[in-house]
């Protein structure tokens, strides 16, 4: 595809979307971005302040499920491609309140797809997750042909969206690409997710709430490697295809927590085993062979140095952390962790 294009990037004030917008503005001078984000609790203009004044970036506050707004943006900006990051993204919140996950992740995605088709958008990339595949035992990897088997309301909503994307390709011939990535870490991640939550608590000498036995495994990838994979898949991927993205960096949650404590010079006694997440997936691990072989993407960051940089970033950006946790965060934290108690 030609480099001169105007993209609708949704969810670009969130963790991965914000990193993606910043990366593209820095590396792709011919790309214009219209950034549509509802600014939920997880979206913060403080995370993209440096992008707001840039010539090739237009921020619009709004809901991806708003048909009139989406159509107006697609037509008014002559959008050539859509990259859909916008979602409710936290598994724990989907367990206590699943409806908004269906509204945004399913209804919002359907609205984008429908209007993309109506307005002649050339390519639609759906940012999906390895969680649609369900959970692995001690061995094996998720491949693109692994059956879809989501376990949480979050992953069920993402799987539904993936099916809609595939259906729009199959039924209407819309040019679509899906990426399914493993767990991301890095700068600007909202501290409801495990890594920034543990860093924040450890910095404040508060208990680190480890779910269950702490031996669940995640395959960690630096957010910038994910962003590069998305851009590679958008620019070079084949229409109708799914590409798995992962870092080949499996860790138990306890390993990660120990690394954070060591990095901050804090004692292991801060670890507190708490009641497990209901339906907690045991292990995720990605086979990213397809995107490596077909599109030449490789992760550039090693977990050991990436997590060091990430810890240092949160230490240097306490003001950002305070700003994004100044709203309902404490209420959320008390509700989510207050009732969990010690395991
Ligand atoms: P996030 O929660 O940090 O950001 C989501 C963004 O979407 C926020 O800015 C929020 O304001 C916006 N948003 C929510 N509802 C909206 C709506 N109805 N209309 C417009 N904007 C809305 O999430 P994230 O971690 O950056 O994840 C981004 C995408 O990547 C999601 O689709 C998620 O499923 C997927 N993903 C995340 C990970 C991960 O490890 N975080 C891994 C794989 C895939
Ligand atoms: O695999 C990709 C997915 O990774 C994305 O699709 C999701 O949007 C993203 O949130 C993430 O999901 P997880 O549920 O794996 O991430 P989370 O950071 O919530 O949890 C990581 C692991 O840490 C998981 O096994 C649960 C555990 N955990 C989490 C929290 C918040 C704890 O032990 N304690 C905690 O307080």
């Amino acid at each position: 595809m030609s480099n001169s294009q105007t993209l609708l990037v949704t969810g670009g004030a969130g963790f991965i979307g914000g990193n993606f917008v910043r990366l593209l503005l820095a590396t792709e001078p011919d790309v214009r971005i219209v950034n549509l984000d509802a600014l939920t609790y997880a979206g913060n203009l403080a995370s993209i302040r440096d992008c707001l004044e840039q010539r090739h970036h237009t921020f619009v506050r709004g809901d991806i499920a708003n048909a009139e707004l989406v159509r107006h943006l697609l037509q008014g900006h002559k959008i050539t491609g859509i990259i859909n990051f916008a979602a409710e993204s936290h598994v724990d919140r989907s367990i206590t309140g699943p409806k908004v996950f269906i509204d945004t992740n399913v209804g919002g995605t359907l609205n984008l797809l429908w209007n993309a088709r109506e307005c002649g958008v050339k390519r639609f990339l759906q940012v999906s997750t390895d969680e649609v595949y369900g959970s692995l035992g001690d061995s094996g990897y998720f491949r693109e042909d692994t059956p879809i088997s989501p376990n949480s309301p979050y992953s069920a909503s993402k799987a539904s969206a993936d099916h809609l994307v595939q259906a729009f390709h199959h039924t209407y011939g819309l040019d679509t690409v899906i990426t399914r990535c493993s767990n991301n870490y890095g700068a600007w991640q909202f501290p409801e997710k495990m890594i920034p939550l543990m860093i924040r608590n450890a910095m404040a000498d508060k208990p680190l709430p480890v779910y269950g036995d702490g031996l669940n495994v995640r395959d960690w990838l630096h957010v910038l490697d994910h962003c590069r994979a998305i851009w590679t898949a958008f620019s070079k991927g084949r229409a109708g295809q799914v590409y798995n993205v992962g870092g080949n960096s499996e860790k138990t949650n306890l390993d990660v927590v120990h690394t954070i404590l060591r990095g901050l010079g804090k004692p292991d006694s801060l670890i507190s085993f708490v009641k497990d997440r209901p339906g907690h997936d045991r292990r995720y691990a990605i086979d990213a062979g397809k995107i490596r072989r077909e599109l030449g993407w490789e992760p550039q960051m090693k977990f050991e140095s990436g997590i060091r940089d990430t810890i240092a970033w949160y230490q240097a950006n306490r003001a950002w952390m305070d700003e994004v946790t100044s709203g309902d965060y404490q209420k959320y934290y008390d509700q989510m962790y207050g009732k969990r108690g010690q395991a």
Side-chain angles (χ1 to χ4, degrees):
M1 293 180 88
S2 131
N3 272 348
S4 178
Q5 43 192 326
T6 305
L7 304 181
L8 181 68
V9 173
T10 70
F15 166 47
I16 307 172
N19 274 288
F20 181 81
V21 166
R22 182 173 295 105
L23 180 70
L24 239 59
L25 290 174
T27 56
E28 299 294 334
D30 296 331
V31 175
R32 291 170 188 278
I33 295 173
V34 177
N35 180 353
L36 173 62
D37 194 298
L39 298 182
T40 67
Y41 76 91
N44 288 286
L45 289 182
S47 306
I48 51 165
R49 214 162 260 151
D50 54 315
C51 303
L52 291 175
E53 297 306 320
Q54 294 203 32
R55 211 161 46 90
H56 282 184
H57 179 232
T58 305
F59 182 81
V60 179
R61 183 176 190 173
D63 188 339
I64 58 165
N66 180 335
E68 216 176 301
L69 172 63
V70 166
R71 180 177 283 248
H72 172 76
L73 292 177
L74 296 184
Q75 290 174 339
H77 291 272
K78 299 192 172 57
I79 298 291
T80 51
I82 298 179
I83 302 187
N84 183 28
F85 291 91
E88 288 294 332
S89 67
H90 193 35
V91 173
D92 288 326
R93 288 186 194 251
S94 82
I95 295 168
T96 52
K99 184 171 180 304
V100 67
F101 284 72
I102 303 304
D103 295 345
T104 290
N105 301 1
V106 185
T109 302
L110 174 61
N111 184 46
L112 292 173
L113 286 164
W114 183 257
N115 283 293
R117 168 187 170 260
E118 295 277 293
C119 298
V121 168
K122 294 203 179 78
R123 171 155 279 193
F124 184 102
L125 186 141
Q126 174 71 358
V127 181
S128 187
T129 167
D130 60 355
E131 296 199 14
V132 300
Y133 298 121
S135 185
L136 290 165
D138 289 341
S139 61
Y141 295 91
F142 295 134
R143 293 161 40 103
E144 287 80 359
D145 57 4
T146 300
I148 300 295
S149 182
N151 289 318
S152 71
Y154 162 70
S155 52
S157 70
K158 293 294 289 185
S160 308
D162 283 11
H163 286 312
L164 282 170
V165 172
Q166 299 284 50
F168 267 68
H169 177 69
H170 187 80
T171 308
Y172 305 114
L174 188 68
D175 181 324
T176 62
V177 174
I178 295 175
T179 54
R180 295 190 180 133
C181 187
S182 59
N183 286 61
N184 286 209
Y185 70 97
W188 315 103
Q189 187 170 29
F190 192 76
E192 63 184 352
K193 305 285 164 50
M194 199 252 289
I195 286 185
L197 185 143
M198 299 299 182
I199 294 174
R200 181 172 189 268
N201 283 16
M203 278 175 12
D205 297 307
K206 287 195 183 143
L208 272 51
V210 173
Y211 297 167
D213 60 9
L215 298 180
N216 300 66
V217 172
R218 298 292 182 263
D219 176 1
W220 292 98
L221 183 72
H222 194 276
V223 63
L224 291 176
D225 277 327
H226 185 194
C227 292
R228 285 187 273 265
I230 289 167
W231 184 240
T232 302
F234 183 83
S235 309
K236 301 202 277 183
R238 286 185 290 133
Q241 294 294 305
V242 174
Y243 296 94
N244 282 352
V245 181
N248 231 340
S249 179
E250 290 180 55
K251 314 268 171 222
T252 66
N253 295 336
L254 264 184
D255 280 344
V256 174
V257 166
H258 283 301
T259 302
I260 291 170
L261 287 170
R262 270 200 309 277
L264 287 166
K266 302 285 180 173
D268 285 357
S269 56
L270 283 178
I271 294 175
S272 165
F273 289 94
V274 299
K275 193 159 168 276
D276 209 353
R277 171 186 281 175
H280 196 174
D281 285 339
R282 193 63 173 169
R283 174 171 169 261
Y284 302 147
I286 279 278
D287 177 344
K290 181 174 170 182
I291 191 169
R292 280 172 198 261
R293 278 191 309 275
E294 288 192 12
L295 309 182
W297 172 85
E298 292 274 352
Q300 294 177 14
M301 316 275 282
K302 290 255 175 298
F303 183 78
E304 290 64 28
S305 53
I307 191 75
R308 261 201 315 274
D309 294 352
T310 301
I311 293 170
W313 187 89
Y314 284 95
Q315 286 180 302
N317 287 275
R318 281 168 198 258
W320 174 84
M321 186 82 99
D322 291 345
E323 187 169 344
V324 302
T325 53
S326 64
D328 279 343
Y329 183 80
Q330 196 53 47
K331 201 163 113 206
Y332 160 80
Y333 193 92
D334 293 343
Q335 276 168 0
M336 191 60 73
Y337 293 92
K339 66 184 177 217
R340 272 202 144 95
Q342 300 284 117

